Amino acid sequence: MSATTLKPHQKELFGQPIGLYILFLTEMWERFSYYGMRALLVLYMTTQTIGDDRGPGLGWTNQEALALYGWYTMLVYVMSIPGGMIADKLIGQKKAVLVGAIVLCLGHGVLVLTDIWAFYTGLGLVILGVGLLKPNISTMVGGLYREGDIRRDKGFSIFYIGINLGSLLATLIVGLVVKEWGWHAGFGLAGIVMVLGLINYIIGQKYLIHVGNLTKDKDDPNEISYGKLYGKLFKSPVQLSFTVILLLASAYGWYKLEWGYGLLFLFLTAIASLLMMIYRELDSQVYKDRFMVLLLSFIMVIIFWGAFEQAGGLMNLYTETNTRRMLLGWEIPTVMFQSLNAGFIIIFATIVAGYWAKRQLKGKEASSLFKMALGIIIMGFGFLFMVFAAMEFENDGSSSMLWLVLAYLFHTIGELCISPVALSFITKLAPVKYASLMMGVYFAATGLGNKVAGIVGESASEFGEYAIFLGILVFTVVIGALFIMLLKPLKRLTHGAEDNEREMHNDETEGFELADPKLNN
Ligand code: GLN
């Protein structure tokens, strides 16, 4: 077909479908609004109600702010499970992203208002919006490529850079806007860029005609019915018993802790029984083992984000109150430190991917599980610098910002070892028809990590920053080492899923493949 007769969705730019750039920009603006707002959140909540030159805050204690921050950052990602399910079963990924983007515009818009109801409503809408948008836009990227298309990995690398470009711009600009015009201008900016993301997505629809559509066929034997899976639970004594035990634990959690935990445990029980039923229904031991090792790897995901996500919470507060931020006579706004992670990702993404590719070519250990475990250890070592910072603060009453730079550098290298690798790992090991659901479960695992981060961060007011940073360092290094020790048996459970791929293409990048069978045609 000559270039002139190509339909818009078949056209390419720099060797990639133009749809990729539409999704890149939509996700870039969405991440701008998410990370811009996230960077402000705990600072806004803990600023006194009489306020400073940024305007009044909510006057909460650090502990109260970190508790809400933990719930919020958990829920945005946990909502990826219903977000993925709604797309799969009801409206398709493309409409889900559209609805998510509209809800996000409303959410960020509401946050411009100063009333407390607006604060909670805005956060609620952002949670729903991200839940609909985030997993589905990732699945749509996968849908741009046919199965086996070698451009897919590169496409995901480009997409991941879009994520971090959004985050980088947000954390650089939002801090300055807040310093000049106050908190709500910062929230407003997040809203405006989300409108840009929405407009870009709507205008770009002609490039996305072939992806993210609902393909529902009742007679298709591959059609997933969650209802049927739950129905079968009542005929499966082992899975039913586990579900009852989890339900009792949820009720106890509700009674002992608070209703929020009760609801969370109930939700997790529902997901756990679904996963148990999927495991039971898988028709070969190979699939069952792979499914199991994938779920085990999610433990690493939770632990990683539980430590890493101190960034927006405890480390953010530490930067604000304990760090010397003067550079050449200018005080760097706290929020700007949040841009180090995204900046380092953009610098190091290809270097880290290249390192793994070289290692693999030399025949050295470079499995996803190894990279993920090593990622935890490297990120954990970042906390060594926070330990030094806390020591300096205890001696001198403030600490150098160099410690934060080094901590974020290690955190980023760790993230590059685990985050894109895990996305790719899911697509290699998840049963194809459950790939979207498993993507949702993956994001939910990162969300649980965010909640853990909040709980750990909150306890700093009891134990002090030094003890918390040291605790995270020791715990993460030990867990990472433990997974490396268990590497052999875990790898056995993958049944060579990665070895085959290695033989198929020995290219330079670690992929971000997403397989959605419905969209790959
Ligand atoms: N920083 C990445 C993003 O915003 C990863 C987030 C996550 O997996 N929780 O997409």
Side-chain angles (χ1 to χ4, degrees), residues 27 31 35 77 134 160 163-164 305 309 415 419 442-443 446 450:
E27 178 64 340
R31 289 287 93 183
Y35 282 110
Y77 289 121
K134 181 81 173 145
Y160 205 73
I163 287 174
N164 287 285
W305 293 103
E309 285 291 339
E415 180 186 354
S419 181
Y442 165 73
F443 278 119
T446 72
N450 276 273

Side-chain angles (χ1 to χ4, degrees), residues 286 290 429 490-503:
V286 173
R290 288 179 174 175
L429 273 87
L490 287 175
K491 266 176 75 179
R492 217 172 293 134
L493 290 178
T494 67
H495 293 275
E498 299 201 288
D499 305 341
N500 296 344
E501 205 183 46
R502 224 168 272 171
E503 281 157 25

Side-chain angles (χ1 to χ4, degrees), residues 1-12:
M1 210 184 290
S2 77
T4 44
T5 57
L6 285 178
K7 299 208 175 90
H9 73 274
Q10 294 167 321
K11 287 189 184 154
E12 292 184 356

Side-chain angles (χ1 to χ4, degrees), residues 275-289:
L275 294 176
M276 283 190 287
M277 290 313 292
I278 291 177
Y279 179 83
R280 186 180 182 275
E281 294 296 301
L282 290 172
D283 45 20
S284 86
Q285 195 55 40
V286 173
Y287 287 138
K288 282 181 196 276
D289 286 349

